[in-house]
Amino acid sequence: MKMQISFLVGTLALAAAAPASAAIKVLACEPEWAALVQELGGDKIDVVSATNALQDPHQVQAKPSLIARARNAELLACTGAGLEVGWLPILLQQSGNPAIQPGKPGHFMAGDYVQKLDVPTRVDRAEGDVHPEGNPHIQTDPRNIARVAVALSQRLAQIDGANQAYYKQRGDDFNKRWSDAMVRWQTQAAPLRGTAIVVQHKAWSYLENWLGMQDVEALEPKPGVEPTASHLQEVLVKLKDRPAQMVVYAAYQDPRASQWLSERAHIETVQLPFTVGGTPAAKDLFGLFDDTIARLLKGAGK
């Protein structure tokens, strides 16, 4: 009995001395993927986002603090599809972190798990900021979030095998809550089907595809090119033949071009969060779509 007590005390002492299981360090390129990693990883992960909702994700500087985070990351979760082509390769190179390089388990591109829209038949820089792999703004359709969640949950389990069961449980729970939410969103958004909109940037193709809306004009004359006075005037003229109910722009964009058109075409201006944190109500992924649909319905007068 005395030996058993000694063994138990020794075991408890070793357990107390052992370090707690460290959280997996994750660097997300955009807030939506940071939010999804948090949903799926819970307290087993430590995630930060390289960008916030008020930044243009196409244009980010690889600051020393960001490089330091990349250097220590065990998982990189980004959109891919060319969205971060202007800064992510530099960040990966300067991090010197082999675990998150392309081809490694720590390199996760959400766009790899989604069928892309707006894939160009010809790539010419003269046509603006065209993405050869297709439109990278996949997070505006919640069905894409669901697809990415399945793959990302599996990737977390691959990297942190000791907690596979934990990630599966959280993944199953998220998928159930997300599926229920999508049914609710589609019911709420039914009046938007067939709604014609003007977009400031071609960032809403997946949202339009999901809800059955259609953009009839874009304020940018070419993707990534700021609206010019002459182009805005052309859009205004075209709207007389193809009217729209609202002009839509993302929280990170300068609203002046949208407001200019709104005043002259007498249509609503609608700011959408675009990602988590873009508006006060878009505090998480569920709030992102709750607020997006509420703002679209208000803009359409529904």
Side-chain angles (χ1 to χ4, degrees):
M1 183 64 179
K2 186 175 180 180
M3 287 183 62
Q4 289 178 332
I5 293 174
S6 297
F7 173 78
L8 179 60
V9 170
T11 302
L12 291 173
L14 284 173
S21 179
I24 301 298
K25 289 184 172 57
V26 182
L27 175 62
C29 288
E30 291 85 23
E32 63 268 22
W33 307 130
L36 184 58
V37 169
Q38 191 67 68
E39 287 276 1
L40 301 173
D43 62 4
K44 304 299 183 189
I45 58 97
D46 172 17
V47 61
V48 296
S49 177
T51 60
N52 63 54
L54 301 183
Q55 285 181 288
D56 183 347
H58 300 85
Q59 301 173 5
V60 177
Q61 287 189 337
K63 297 178 180 178
S65 58
L66 194 54
I67 295 170
R69 181 69 191 197
R71 187 171 295 132
N72 297 320
E74 294 162 273
L75 174 64
L76 178 75
C78 300
T79 298
L83 178 63
E84 305 96 352
V85 70
W87 55 276
L88 187 56
I90 299 172
L91 184 67
L92 285 171
Q93 181 186 35
Q94 296 194 1
S95 75
N97 181 352
I100 60 171
Q101 300 299 321
K104 299 294 184 182
H107 187 93
F108 182 89
M109 297 290 118
D112 291 347
Y113 303 93
V114 171
Q115 183 174 359
K116 259 75 84 204
L117 302 177
D118 304 333
V119 178
T121 56
R122 181 174 67 94
V123 178
D124 186 342
R125 295 301 295 178
E127 296 302 318
D129 189 13
V130 177
H131 298 279
E133 298 175 49
N135 193 314
H137 305 299
I138 62 173
Q139 85 284 359
T140 59
D141 183 343
R143 297 172 298 184
N144 289 342
I145 299 289
R147 297 181 183 106
V148 174
V150 172
L152 186 53
S153 184
Q154 294 171 350
R155 189 63 62 89
L156 287 169
Q158 180 183 0
I159 292 173
D160 184 15
N163 289 305
Q164 281 187 11
Y166 177 84
Y167 297 124
K168 184 177 188 310
Q169 182 274 323
R170 288 193 69 94
D172 290 346
D173 176 68
F174 175 79
N175 288 334
K176 173 67 171 59
R177 290 184 290 122
W178 197 250
S179 295
D180 292 344
M182 281 199 292
V183 172
R184 184 179 77 248
W185 292 326
Q186 288 179 201
T187 300
Q188 293 171 339
L192 294 170
R193 184 161 295 277
T195 299
I197 64 174
V198 176
V199 297
Q200 185 155 323
H201 175 63
K202 291 283 287 183
W204 311 103
S205 296
Y206 297 91
L207 179 70
E208 295 162 24
N209 183 54
W210 174 48
L211 297 180
M213 300 191 304
Q214 180 186 14
D215 70 73
V216 294
E217 292 293 337
L219 299 190
E220 291 179 346
K222 296 177 181 178
V225 177
E226 287 297 313
T228 61
S230 60
H231 181 71
L232 290 176
Q233 192 64 45
E234 289 176 11
V235 171
L236 180 61
V237 172
K238 289 179 180 177
L239 286 183
K240 293 178 181 176
D241 295 327
R242 299 185 70 193
Q245 287 185 258
M246 65 186 99
V247 53
V248 172
Y249 67 98
Y252 73 84
Q253 292 178 308
D254 186 335
R256 286 177 293 182
S258 291
Q259 291 167 349
W260 183 94
L261 186 72
S262 171
E263 292 168 3
R264 287 158 180 79
H266 307 293
I267 58 177
E268 293 291 325
T269 305
V270 178
Q271 181 199 58
L272 295 182
F274 188 62
T275 185
V276 173
T279 60
K283 295 178 180 176
D284 56 21
L285 287 168
F286 292 89
L288 169 63
F289 286 96
D290 283 337
D291 197 39
T292 295
I293 290 172
R295 286 169 179 260
L296 287 171
L297 287 170
K298 183 178 179 181
K302 305 294 184 181

